[in-house]
């Protein structure tokens, strides 16, 4: 961090935000991004390794990592070199195919247990949208079953009951105005980690369901670890009714393991959505899964499922993916991330105990977050509702003032990358101790 105080060092950032607000709603491309300037504006001009630099020259250790895609560190030399070499050969062809497209699809099929075929797209939201369309075409049904606290993108199909208020638990809670009522009505909402509630919902709606979608480890609310009974119910109930099981591994795949969370959980879904860490920051995503489901799309389809996009399979994203996946496998990145993540979680938990502050540290491998006002490990979204949101925002502000950047949203999470080191860990915990003492 610079020697200047944060409040004195944001004049240019403030000017950039004021300029943006005149032409961009909220001054940033999403409401979640706009939260970065609460209370201090953050207009960035550079990123390198584990750091971000603002237009005011403020250097911050980055634990946000763009909501998780940056797994190797910002501006990774080998990934960027692969992208630059691809650009020299052509930026966009827009017809036919390329060897790179086939090669990356083969690599995904080799890594992810559930994947036999792959369709590329540009974002996690697109991937879940396409997966649901494939499931609806396969079953001929309309309804989708999802779980409270799981986020699957911005579209009407599933932007329901991600962060419902306490008085709407168990109900359909649309997360945005302007959503199609029929889409909301065709969404069945069930508590995560509740096998009895899931079986009851399958008994009631199973014949009308197109698919069941979930984050296998929900990180949109910090972290919920799935129980064995819940995973068993997922697999047995969907198999018995031939309802496609869709894993949204946009966050978990490649960040937690090159083989996805599904490999460690021992459940093979029918469709898998991936994005974020697969490209280390470049825009790329994919939906993959069973051959019969994916073959519904493409030039020789029989059902006419349309999966389209001018920039889908863009060479830059695929080149970044090929190199990122190679490094994740060959450099054993996961060992570093897992060790460091455990150290952050244990260190933070010790600080909470030492300071007598009611709270818990949640997470998995390279993801962690502190949730104030609750102590037991959360199993469902209901266990997350009621955390002390204001105290978390105060913690985020105090850490930002000391040079550590993460979103002040209390339901989100910290991420680590290969570029984070033990020195970053030491500095974070030393500063966190100061901030917690002030709280």
């Amino acid at each position: 961090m610079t020697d200047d105080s944060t409040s004195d060092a944001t004049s240019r950032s403030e000017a950039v935000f004021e300029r943006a607000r005149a032409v961009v709603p909220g001054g940033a491309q999403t409401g979640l991004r706009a939260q970065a300037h609460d209370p201090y504006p953050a207009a960035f001009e550079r990123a390198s390794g584990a750091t971000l630099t603002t237009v005011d020259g403020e250097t911050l250790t980055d634990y946000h990592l763009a909501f998780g895609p940056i797994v190797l560190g910002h501006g990774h030399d080998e990934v960027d070199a692969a992208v630059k070499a691809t650009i020299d050969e052509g930026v966009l062809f827009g017809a036919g195919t390329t060897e790179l497209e086939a090669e990356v699809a083969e690599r995904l099929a080799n890594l992810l247990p559930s994947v036999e075929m792959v369709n590329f797209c540009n974002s996690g939201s697109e991937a879940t949208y396409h997966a649901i369309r494939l499931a609806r075409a396969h079953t001929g049904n309309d309804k989708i079953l999802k779980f409270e606290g799981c986020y699957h993108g911005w579209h009407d199909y599933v932007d329901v009951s991600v962060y419902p208020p306490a008085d709407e638990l168990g109900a359909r809670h649309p997360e945005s105005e302007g959503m199609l009522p029929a889409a909301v009505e065709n969404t069945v909402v069930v508590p995560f980690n509740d096998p009895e509630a899931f079986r009851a919902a399958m008994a009631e709606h199973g014949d009308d369901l197109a698919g069941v979608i979930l984050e296998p480890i929900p990180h949109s609310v910090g972290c919920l670890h799935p129980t064995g009974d819940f995973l068993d119910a997922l697999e047995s109930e969907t198999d018995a009714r031939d309802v496609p099981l869709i894993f949204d591994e946009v966050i978990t795949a490649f960040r937690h393991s090159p083989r996805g969370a599904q490999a460690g959980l021992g459940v093979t879904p029918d469709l898998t959505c991936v994005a974020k860490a697969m490209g280390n920051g470049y825009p790329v995503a994919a939906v993959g899964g069973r051959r019969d489901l994916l073959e519904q799309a493409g030039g020789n389809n029989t059902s006419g499922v349309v999966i389209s996009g001018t920039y889908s399979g863009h060479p830059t994203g695929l080149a970044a993916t090929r190199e990122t996946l190679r490094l994740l496998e060959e450099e054993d990145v996961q060992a570093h991330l897992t060790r460091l993540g455990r150290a952050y979680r244990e260190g933070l938990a010790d600080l909470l105990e030492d300071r007598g502050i009611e709270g818990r540290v949640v997470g998995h491998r390279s993801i962690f977050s502190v949730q104030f006002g609750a102590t037991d490990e959360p199993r469902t979204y209901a266990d997350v509702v009621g955390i002390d949101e204001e105290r978390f925002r105060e913690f985020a502000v105090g850490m930002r003032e000391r040079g550590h950047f993460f979103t002040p949203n209390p339901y989100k999470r910290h991420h680590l990358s290969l570029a984070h080191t033990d020195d970053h860990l030491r500095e974070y915990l030393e500063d966190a101790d100061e901030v917690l003492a002030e709280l």
Side-chain angles (χ1 to χ4, degrees), residues 121 123-132 155 250 272-275 285-287:
C121 50
S123 70
S125 291
E126 287 182 54
T128 61
Y129 189 97
H130 294 323
I132 290 170
H155 53 83
V250 168
T272 297
C273 303
V274 292
V287 56

Side-chain angles (χ1 to χ4, degrees), residues 308-363:
S308 188
T310 298
Y311 299 104
S312 296
H314 197 279
T316 55
L318 294 184
T321 297
R322 178 176 62 185
E323 190 64 15
T324 299
L325 296 183
R326 182 188 71 79
L327 291 164
L328 289 175
E329 286 189 277
E330 295 180 4
E331 302 298 324
D332 199 13
V333 173
Q334 190 51 236
H336 173 79
L337 296 180
T338 299
R339 178 191 66 80
L340 207 56
R342 183 181 300 113
Y344 273 88
R345 287 191 296 276
E346 290 176 352
L348 261 178
D350 288 343
L351 293 179
L352 291 176
E353 183 176 359
D354 292 344
R355 293 291 178 185
I357 295 175
E358 185 179 38
R360 64 192 175 203
V361 182
V362 300

Side-chain angles (χ1 to χ4, degrees), residues 145-152 160-166 168-173 175 188-193 213-215 218 220-221 224 379-383 385:
L145 187 150
K146 75 172 298 285
F147 298 89
E148 283 177 332
C150 288
Y151 174 71
H152 307 295
V160 177
S161 295
V162 183
Y163 304 110
E168 292 191 38
L169 291 175
R172 299 181 181 93
H173 174 75
E175 296 290 336
V188 178
V189 178
V190 177
F192 189 82
N193 262 341
I213 187 169
L214 72 154
E215 294 179 78
S220 295
V221 290
L224 303 176
R379 292 294 185 185
T380 71
Y381 172 75
D383 298 328
V385 175

Side-chain angles (χ1 to χ4, degrees), residues 12-329:
R12 290 190 63 198
S13 288
E14 288 173 350
V16 171
F17 259 102
E18 285 306 309
R19 179 182 179 183
R21 285 190 187 100
V23 287
V24 176
Q29 293 305 308
T30 69
L32 288 174
R33 290 191 198 181
Q35 289 176 349
H37 68 82
D38 181 17
Y40 301 126
F44 298 108
E45 66 178 4
R46 289 191 307 277
S48 177
T51 64
L52 296 171
T53 303
T54 71
V55 295
D56 299 287
E58 180 189 16
T59 300
L60 302 166
T61 303
D62 185 13
Y63 293 97
H64 180 55
L65 297 177
F67 290 103
I70 312 298
V71 69
L72 299 175
H74 291 286
H76 192 279
D77 288 344
E78 291 172 83
V79 175
D80 288 354
V83 172
K84 290 172 185 175
T86 299
I87 290 174
D88 289 341
E89 297 172 357
V91 174
L92 183 65
F93 304 111
T97 190
T98 65
E99 284 190 302
L100 179 60
E101 193 173 327
E103 180 184 351
V104 177
E106 289 168 350
R107 186 177 285 268
L108 291 177
N110 288 333
L111 286 173
L112 297 169
S114 66
V115 172
E116 296 175 337
M117 300 191 82
V118 175
N119 244 127
F120 292 109
C121 50
N122 302 288
S123 70
S125 291
E126 287 182 54
T128 61
Y129 189 97
H130 294 323
I132 290 170
R133 176 172 283 184
L134 290 167
R136 283 180 167 146
H138 173 75
T139 61
N141 295 330
D142 296 334
K143 291 184 178 180
I144 295 295
L145 187 150
K146 75 172 298 285
F147 298 89
E148 283 177 332
C150 288
Y151 174 71
H152 307 295
W154 43 256
H155 53 83
D156 290 9
Y157 286 176
V158 284
D159 199 14
V160 177
S161 295
V162 183
Y163 304 110
D167 60 355
E168 292 191 38
L169 291 175
R172 299 181 181 93
H173 174 75
E175 296 290 336
S176 173
E177 295 183 5
M179 292 177 63
L180 184 68
V184 177
E185 292 164 6
N186 277 300
T187 304
V188 178
V189 178
V190 177
F192 189 82
N193 262 341
D194 190 334
E196 290 76 19
F198 176 65
R199 288 194 177 94
M202 292 296 287
E204 181 178 356
H205 301 286
D207 292 339
D208 302 316
L209 283 179
V212 173
I213 187 169
L214 72 154
E215 294 179 78
I217 304 174
H219 284 304
S220 295
V221 290
C223 181
L224 303 176
H225 286 104
T227 64
D229 289 348
F230 177 65
L231 293 172
D232 290 343
L234 280 176
E235 196 163 38
S236 62
E237 289 289 328
T238 53
D239 282 351
R241 291 174 169 80
D242 191 26
V243 173
L245 177 61
I246 306 167
F247 269 16
D248 177 351
E249 292 226 41
V250 168
I251 296 174
T252 55
F254 314 119
R255 170 161 285 282
H256 288 336
S257 166
R259 293 178 56 77
Q262 58 195 256
L265 297 176
V267 176
T268 302
D270 301 293
L271 292 166
T272 297
C273 303
V274 292
K276 290 192 185 293
M278 68 189 285
N280 198 53
Y282 287 89
V284 62
V287 56
R290 279 173 23 197
R291 182 174 298 276
D292 63 313
L293 294 174
L294 268 295
E295 281 183 337
Q296 295 177 110
N300 297 318
N301 63 74
T302 57
S303 68
V305 173
V306 174
I307 294 180
S308 188
T310 298
Y311 299 104
S312 296
H314 197 279
T316 55
L318 294 184
T321 297
R322 178 176 62 185
E323 190 64 15
T324 299
L325 296 183
R326 182 188 71 79
L327 291 164
L328 289 175
E329 286 189 277

